[in-house]
Amino acid sequence: MKTANQNVTATMLVNDALKKAEFFKDYNIFTSLYKDAALKKAAKIDERIKNGEPVGRLAGVPFAAKDNFLVKDTITTASAHILEPFEAPITSTVVEQLEKEGAILIGKVNLDAFAHGSSTENSYFGPTLNAYDKERVAGGSSGGSAVAVALDIVEFTTGSDTGGSIRQPASFNGVYGLKPTYGATSRYGVVSMASSLDVNGFFTKTPEDLDLLMSICAHRDEKDLTTLPDFYEESEAKPIKTVGIVKDFDNDAVDPEIRTALKAKCEELKKKGIDIVELDMPTLKYALAVYYIIQPAEVASNLSRYDGIRYGFRSENATNLDDLYGNTRNEGFMKENKRRIMIGNFVLSSGFYDAYFLKAAKARTLLIEEYKKAFEKCDVILAPVSPNPAFRLGEKVNDPVAMYMEDIMSVSINLAGIPGLAIPAGKTASGLPIGLQVLGPRRSDKTIIKFAEEIR
Ligand code: GLN
């Protein structure tokens, strides 16, 4: 991470980032830019450096936050019409932790509205374009976060991952993307999607940067009681002797170039003396179905608060309270948001709760057990992130099932609460980035980050 010093000032770093943000405007990355505030903060840091006063570990490093992270007195949109205009009364813990170390927030970046999606096409502000091919999607939901790092606008960005939203866009744009262990980082001040799955993490160019960001942010937060007691800094990276490969992910539904990339990586590992074991994980094939029950159920509950009274947008077309609620939600939510609210309320409704939600919750427990057993046979797992590289804009957006299939190899990690790190693993013949994910048991975040360093 390039921090500010006597020669390269924070002001220079911030100006450079702002210039690049402007230069890459047509990628539709930023939902807001904090030019003046960022330059003011930079000047302060430069002053401290000049006076020889201590500065943090991220002094003057410009970064951007996914626009579901709240920053006090600024607009948070979650790329959703229904939040407009919503001025945040608080700052999210993660942004606070980063700023405390001297990092400078230059703006917020685009996502699928409320983080529902795998392409950033569900954004109210339109899609972000892929860093390698402007006719292709950025991935999602954290598309803006991935492209901002891939185009070198900023050195790192924040993201949230409920079912793949950090790893998949990272792999579509050739950068690193970490979804930490559930509860490793605070979610205070981040717009909730599905609370038993949501985790906040980062996009970077190197695993070393992820290590630094985790040291700063993976802490217990009294404002988010689902955070784990501090474990990251004290944890030791485990030496990797055995890597597991999931048999069930090696099938014709996965792009041949991705399968080849995985095999090539395995050959490299074998040469380093690492054993490769094949894992039978028969419950994994149910993960997508389980996810698309549990996640919408939690989404429906979390989105019930947007009623036109408390946040942002309110419909003009209402003469009574029921219409005010109904029309606000109808006009304010995107199609995909509504789909999830309907599915969620359906699977939670009396009569269907036992058949869907309860069954999915039980299957989730089986998945957790299956991962535990897998990690008795290997230290980490190496797998594809998604079945294909970045697809074309418009290709799947009108076919929800095709879009959901994108998540087939990423959602089980959230259901099990384990950490997953997307790493760049070469390119396709046509030049699109390929990503793989390194998975480890809960709280093995340091192990997978260090392993990513070793196998780069
Ligand atoms: N693509 C997944 C979904 O649409 C994951 C989204 C996310 O992780 N926020 O549910």
Side-chain angles (χ1 to χ4, degrees), residues 179-184 196-197 199 214 226 228-229 231-232 235-236 238 364-376 378-381 412-420 438-448:
K179 172 237 175 274
T181 298
Y182 180 78
S196 78
L197 303 161
V199 181
M214 283 295 280
T226 63
L228 296 167
F231 70 91
Y232 185 79
S235 64
E236 299 262 335
K238 188 174 166 191
R364 180 182 192 172
T365 305
L366 294 178
L367 264 170
I368 294 170
E369 293 302 321
E370 195 161 277
Y371 269 113
K372 268 193 199 146
K373 274 200 204 119
F375 289 122
E376 286 167 10
C378 62
D379 302 310
V380 294
I381 294 174
S412 64
I413 286 87
N414 300 71
L415 289 165
I418 62 174
V438 183
L439 314 173
R442 282 187 201 199
R443 304 182 200 223
S444 70
D445 306 53
K446 187 163 266 162
T447 298
I448 61 172

Side-chain angles (χ1 to χ4, degrees), residues 21 75 102 110 118 122-123 146 211 243 254 281 286 326 332 346 372 377 383 417 427 447:
I75 301 289
N110 202 11
S118 314
N122 294 333
S123 165
D211 180 41
V243 170
V254 183
M281 299 184 71
Y286 302 110
F346 173 77
K372 268 193 199 146
K377 298 195 189 94
K427 303 236 170 73
T447 298

Side-chain angles (χ1 to χ4, degrees), residues 55-76:
V55 284
R57 287 178 279 177
L58 299 173
V61 179
F63 77 106
K66 186 175 181 177
D67 201 6
N68 54 357
F69 284 70
L70 273 56
V71 177
K72 191 170 160 39
D73 298 334
T74 67
I75 301 289
T76 296

